[in-house]
């Protein structure tokens, strides 16, 4: 198979970025020593306020991502259960008294409405491991 993902996910480009990225264990942060003066107190309060604002903004986006994931999961469950069940019940008259035909319809619609979710999971797993 020919690998033709494109220039966005080029292996050489990813290798170049990963070589220049800092390692997690080499991240040394030494806070500045300010002392016990009035300036140190004012600087501490200002930094405390800035870090609080940054944490609030990060929590806001985390909450937004959480609710987006919940809504996406709800939409997937709606699609699977209600749409698929509607089609199964719509075709129930054709299957009345025929167990094999009923199982065929059930398996077909189950595969049809669930396979795309597994496809997304497979693609996400494939993209993260290559």
């Amino acid at each position: 198979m020919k690998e033709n993902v494109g220039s966005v996910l080029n292996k050489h480009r990813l290798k170049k970025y990963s070589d220049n990225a800092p390692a997690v264990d080499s991240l040394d942060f030494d806070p500045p020593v300010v002392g016990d003066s009035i300036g140190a107190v004012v600087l501490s309060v200002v930094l405390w306020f800035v870090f609080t604002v940054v944490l609030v903004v990060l929590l806001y986006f985390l909450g937004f991502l959480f609710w987006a994931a919940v809504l996406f999961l709800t939409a997937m469950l709606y699609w699977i259960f209600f749409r698929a069940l509607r089609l199964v019940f719509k075709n129930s008259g054709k299957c009345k008294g025929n167990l094999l035909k009923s199982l065929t319809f059930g398996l077909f619609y189950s595969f049809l409405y669930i396979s795309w979710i597994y496809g997304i999971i497979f693609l996400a797993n494939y993209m993260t491991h290559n």
Side-chain angles (χ1 to χ4, degrees), residues 33-51:
V33 179
V34 291
D36 294 329
S37 65
I38 297 294
V41 172
V42 170
L43 181 64
S44 297
V45 170
V46 168
L47 287 176
W48 174 65
F49 181 74
V50 168
F51 283 132

Side-chain angles (χ1 to χ4, degrees), residues 9-10 22 28 35-36 48-49 52 54 56 61 74 77 86 88 97 124 129:
L9 292 176
N10 194 347
D28 293 331
D36 294 329
W48 174 65
F49 181 74
T52 303
V54 168
V56 167
F61 284 116
T74 304
L77 290 176
R86 184 181 70 82
V88 168
H129 287 96

